[in-house]
Amino acid sequence: MSEVIYNSETGVNHHQYRKHKIFEVNEKEENKVIDRKDAKLVMAHMYVAIVCLIIGGLAGLVQTLVRSGTLKLPAGIGYYQILTVHGIILALVLTTFFIMGFQISAISRTTGPLSGLSRRLGWIGFWVMLIGTAMAATMVLLNKATVLYTFYAPLQAHVIFYIGMALVIVGSWISAAGQMMGYFRWRKEHPGQKTPLISYMATINNVMWIVCSIGVALTVLLQMIPWSLGLVDRIDVTLSRTLFWYFGHALVYFWLLPAYMSWYAVVPKIIGTKAFSDNLARFAFMLFLFFSIPVGIHHQLVEPGIDVTWKYVQVVLTFMVVIPSLMTAFSLFATFETYGRKTGAKGLLGWLKTLPWNDARFVLPFIGMAAFIPGGAGGLVNASAQMDQVVHNTIWITGHFHLTVATAVILTFFGTMYWLIPHCTGRVLTKQLNKLALIQGYMWAIGMSIMSGAMHFIGLFGAPRRSTYSEYGGSKVAAEWIPYQIIQAVGGTILFISIILVVIIFIRLAFFAPKGHEPYPIATAMDEHLPTTKLVENWKFLIIVTIALILIAYTIPVSQMFIDPPPGAKGFGEGKLW
Ligand code: HAS
Ligand code: CU
């Protein structure tokens, strides 16, 4: 069977560089192109994402240099200001724009062109998010919102910052509504049929996002904005942090699930095989919806004001949310191994050799998966309450989330961009750009291993996150951290060079690569012919269970926050209000 995808219309053989042998070419599927108007909407999101990458990446480089003492910031710019830019622009803005763009593309590709209303909602959502971003960014640049991406009270920002952040969220709701309409329309038009897997996954992610972001919207609207305007002079810090983390853990899954969409529904097609199981994937996503939200208190394990029983309950729920990730790992290994054995691989790990190591669309997500093994293991350490006492607020945590969101997720996003951008712009990922993309991915792997490795290591010795050496000026213990800060800066520099490569590849793919057809890979599953388990697409059931779990996990601890002094806070002083 030929490994080359030849497009008769354009005459382009653009995957000749692939060496692996089995490739199931379904001409009709392969040639499907998403609607041009939808492609434009997707690209609008991608342009914002790439601008964010440049700004946020530069801020990251500057941070590692400042922390290691190699750079002094000029013109009164503060370290925390740069840290705020880095966190907000990359973790909140880049991710949201990429995810919305990618999900729109996935819905359009699998359920057909968006309806006029869906597309309009997509554009309105896009502009509302962009205006919100501009408002928040302006305040951060003016040093009037140096509050980090978690905007913990009592750090206070200008009211325009909070309104801007609220608009980003409202914009994403509008966009999510448009996407969900596509999924539900398809379902209505195809009664009794299995919905396309990736459209189901995008819908789960959107529902989860809407339910969780209500928490952050509440703290912003009811607490932060009145306080920032001076209408009230105090703010309940415990409550605001709890509402933030009700949102915050689901936020990290809002980043992860689109990467999982690609791992389950795209990557198998790229390597030329079928996904292990459609049913298992849907089941895992259902569990993510259930268990991503009622676990936020695992970010507050060392905080006063929350009863230890409820911390325990949420730790148990956190270990529940690990299960669908373990299912994902199992499913991926099964996909890869089944493919490998088909091509004649022998032995325990022989299948690894048969994977398409010369195809960046596969290699980048794969590096992401590999990084997620130590990244996930670190998460288990954090979630284990006793061990969290050691690592909380140390730079170990920074190491953890640079393996998860900043490698597993973002490398998958880059790998996705490398076919999605040319697909939308009617160009192809050339052999040369593919090679550059491979170099970019490997540089990321090297840079991040160095940086995140050093962060994990020195975190165990108590090096704090979110602070600079100069704050600990001259202390003996801080001096011991310095070599590791320098190692981090070396890793950070390699990462920055990798970011420059991403930008070069992006620009080439968007504007200069040869015209042609780059496929939008969508895999079928080995159990494609089997019906789905009814429950996973019973939205009433899904939403009832989701809300019930939230109520179980949060009703009592939140109501206890209104009691003074809060249970479990004895010994921490009165501590309820600032
Ligand atoms: Fe986390 C803190 C617990 C996953 C992000 N996390 C953070 C923060 C961020 C973050 C940003 O319980 C900092 C927040 C802040 O600013 O304060 N995290 C977990 C747990 C998981 C987890 C239990 N985190 C993530 C993901 C993130 C993310 C995903 C972003 C995308 N995290 C915590 C806790 C804290 C925390 C505490 C608070 C700590 C503190 O003290 O402040 C789990 O869900 C992880 C489960 C994952 C696995 C891995 C499965 C592996 C797979 C890959 C298979 C690979 C293959 C390739 C097939 C069990 C699916 C084969 C490869 C070969 C090489 C052969
Ligand atoms: Cu979490």
Side-chain angles (χ1 to χ4, degrees):
M1 193 177 289
S2 166
E3 62 185 294
V4 177
I5 304 166
Y6 177 75
N7 184 292
S8 51
E9 245 172 71
T10 59
V12 176
N13 291 337
H14 56 283
H15 283 144
Q16 279 158 324
Y17 52 85
R18 290 217 314 231
K19 292 228 175 65
H20 54 295
K21 290 287 175 281
I22 298 183
F23 193 78
E24 295 159 357
V25 182
N26 173 346
E27 270 300 317
K28 245 176 89 204
E29 252 321 282
E30 254 344 299
N31 285 335
K32 264 195 185 157
V33 181
I34 66 173
D35 181 88
R36 282 191 55 145
K37 287 189 195 142
D38 296 344
K40 248 190 177 160
L41 178 57
V42 173
M43 282 308 293
H45 289 80
M46 296 300 150
Y47 292 132
V48 178
I50 202 77
V51 172
C52 288
L53 182 67
I54 301 168
I55 302 170
L58 191 61
L61 174 69
V62 169
Q63 263 161 247
T64 59
L65 297 178
V66 172
R67 284 184 75 97
S68 62
T70 3
L71 179 78
K72 282 225 151 33
L73 287 169
I77 302 171
Y79 171 76
Y80 292 103
Q81 195 180 352
I82 300 285
L83 184 54
T84 306
V85 172
H86 180 70
I88 289 187
I89 287 287
L90 293 180
L92 300 181
V93 182
L94 180 153
T95 49
T96 309
F97 275 90
F98 176 85
I99 291 166
M100 288 296 146
F102 175 48
Q103 290 186 164
I104 288 169
S105 79
I107 297 272
S108 170
R109 164 72 171 76
T110 57
T111 69
L114 301 185
S115 69
L117 178 59
S118 280
R119 195 176 302 122
R120 211 164 314 129
L121 289 175
W123 277 111
I124 297 172
F126 170 82
W127 283 109
V128 172
M129 294 200 303
L130 196 60
I131 292 167
T133 302
M135 287 166 70
T138 309
M139 289 301 124
V140 175
L141 292 178
L142 293 173
N143 202 15
K144 293 229 170 357
T146 299
V147 290
L148 310 186
Y149 88 108
T150 39
F151 42 94
Y152 278 166
L155 294 174
Q156 195 184 48
H158 193 285
V159 70
I160 291 182
F161 169 83
Y162 297 119
I163 297 174
M165 292 314 288
L167 285 180
V168 173
I169 288 174
V170 171
S172 70
W173 289 346
I174 298 172
S175 179
Q179 294 162 37
M180 290 193 291
M181 282 170 59
Y183 163 83
F184 283 106
R185 184 193 59 185
W186 193 96
R187 220 166 92 111
K188 216 169 144 198
E189 286 170 359
H190 302 80
Q193 281 185 45
K194 218 179 206 176
T195 54
L197 176 61
I198 202 165
S199 72
Y200 169 77
M201 293 169 147
T203 308
I204 286 274
N205 202 28
N206 282 329
V207 171
M208 183 186 82
W209 175 246
I210 291 169
V211 177
C212 80
S213 48
I214 292 171
V216 72
L218 283 179
T219 175
V220 167
L221 293 179
L222 300 181
Q223 293 191 289
M224 305 284 183
I225 291 181
W227 174 59
S228 166
L229 285 173
L231 301 176
V232 292
D233 54 3
R234 301 203 298 178
I235 182 163
D236 186 329
V237 171
T238 310
L239 182 62
S240 73
R241 288 166 76 114
T242 306
L243 285 170
F244 181 86
W245 285 118
Y246 161 93
F247 154 79
H249 185 80
L251 167 71
V252 313
Y253 276 92
F254 171 70
W255 302 331
L256 181 70
L257 294 194
Y260 275 13
M261 289 178 209
S262 154
W263 297 359
Y264 275 114
V266 173
V267 168
K269 181 74 182 179
I270 290 172
I271 66 177
T273 186
K274 288 186 175 177
F276 173 66
S277 165
D278 174 290
N279 260 323
L280 179 145
R282 286 179 209 250
F283 197 73
F285 268 62
M286 177 184 80
L287 295 180
F288 280 125
L289 174 62
F290 292 164
F291 294 109
S292 291
I293 305 172
V295 297
I297 288 180
H298 70 222
H299 292 266
Q300 299 173 281
L301 292 173
V302 302
E303 282 179 26
I306 301 169
D307 196 338
V308 74
T309 312
W310 294 99
K311 288 182 179 170
Y312 178 75
V313 168
Q314 295 219 7
V315 163
V316 171
L317 290 169
T318 302
F319 279 89
M320 292 295 293
V321 81
V322 172
I323 293 171
S325 277
L326 293 175
M327 287 164 66
T328 305
F330 173 82
S331 178
L332 293 167
F333 276 114
T335 303
F336 296 149
E337 189 179 345
T338 314
Y339 168 75
R341 302 241 178 264
K342 244 186 352 195
T343 54
K346 297 261 174 333
L348 186 63
L349 293 173
W351 50 269
L352 263 173
K353 276 190 260 156
T354 64
L355 296 169
W357 293 107
N358 49 4
D359 187 340
R361 302 171 310 156
F362 159 76
V363 172
L364 270 80
F366 190 89
I367 298 173
M369 294 172 200
F372 200 43
I373 294 175
L380 300 185
V381 169
N382 304 344
S384 311
Q386 291 90 335
M387 285 200 266
D388 191 48
Q389 314 291 316
V390 178
V391 296
H392 182 67
N393 270 346
T394 72
I395 202 163
W396 160 285
I397 302 296
T398 320
H400 162 67
F401 65 70
H402 279 84
L403 284 183
T404 49
V405 64
T407 306
V409 170
I410 204 73
L411 273 190
T412 305
F413 288 1
F414 292 156
T416 303
M417 273 186 178
Y418 296 156
W419 54 258
L420 182 59
I421 305 295
H423 181 88
C424 290
T425 54
R427 298 175 190 277
V428 290
L429 175 65
T430 59
K431 196 173 167 177
Q432 188 207 17
L433 285 174
N434 176 69
K435 208 179 252 165
L436 203 57
L438 285 171
I439 296 171
Q440 183 271 310
Y442 285 121
M443 281 187 74
W444 199 277
I446 295 167
M448 194 57 89
S449 302
I450 296 173
M451 189 177 90
S452 173
M455 286 172 165
H456 276 94
F457 185 80
I458 199 63
L460 289 178
F461 292 91
R465 67 185 280 200
R466 313 188 188 97
S467 44
T468 60
Y469 174 65
S470 58
E471 286 170 2
Y472 289 81
S475 86
K476 212 172 139 213
V477 57
E480 284 168 14
W481 300 332
I482 279 287
Y484 296 92
Q485 314 267 24
I486 292 171
I487 297 173
Q488 284 165 36
V490 172
T493 308
I494 299 173
L495 284 167
F496 188 70
I497 300 170
S498 183
I499 285 181
I500 296 174
L501 293 184
V502 179
V503 177
I504 294 173
I505 300 166
F506 182 98
I507 294 173
R508 295 281 299 277
L509 288 174
F511 305 109
F512 303 109
K515 291 268 177 199
H517 168 69
E518 181 70 37
Y520 192 127
I522 290 287
T524 50
M526 293 178 203
D527 60 355
E528 194 73 24
H529 54 287
L530 297 175
T532 51
T533 322
K534 284 274 176 303
L535 231 40
V536 301
E537 281 195 80
N538 180 338
W539 291 94
K540 259 191 219 132
F541 164 77
L542 296 182
I543 289 172
I544 290 172
V545 176
T546 305
I547 293 176
L549 282 167
I550 292 169
L551 291 178
I552 291 170
Y554 273 109
T555 308
I556 298 181
V558 168
S559 46
Q560 285 179 341
M561 282 165 204
F562 292 91
I563 304 167
D564 202 13
K570 291 186 191 83
F572 289 100
E574 282 176 311
K576 187 186 159 214
L577 296 173
W578 287 79

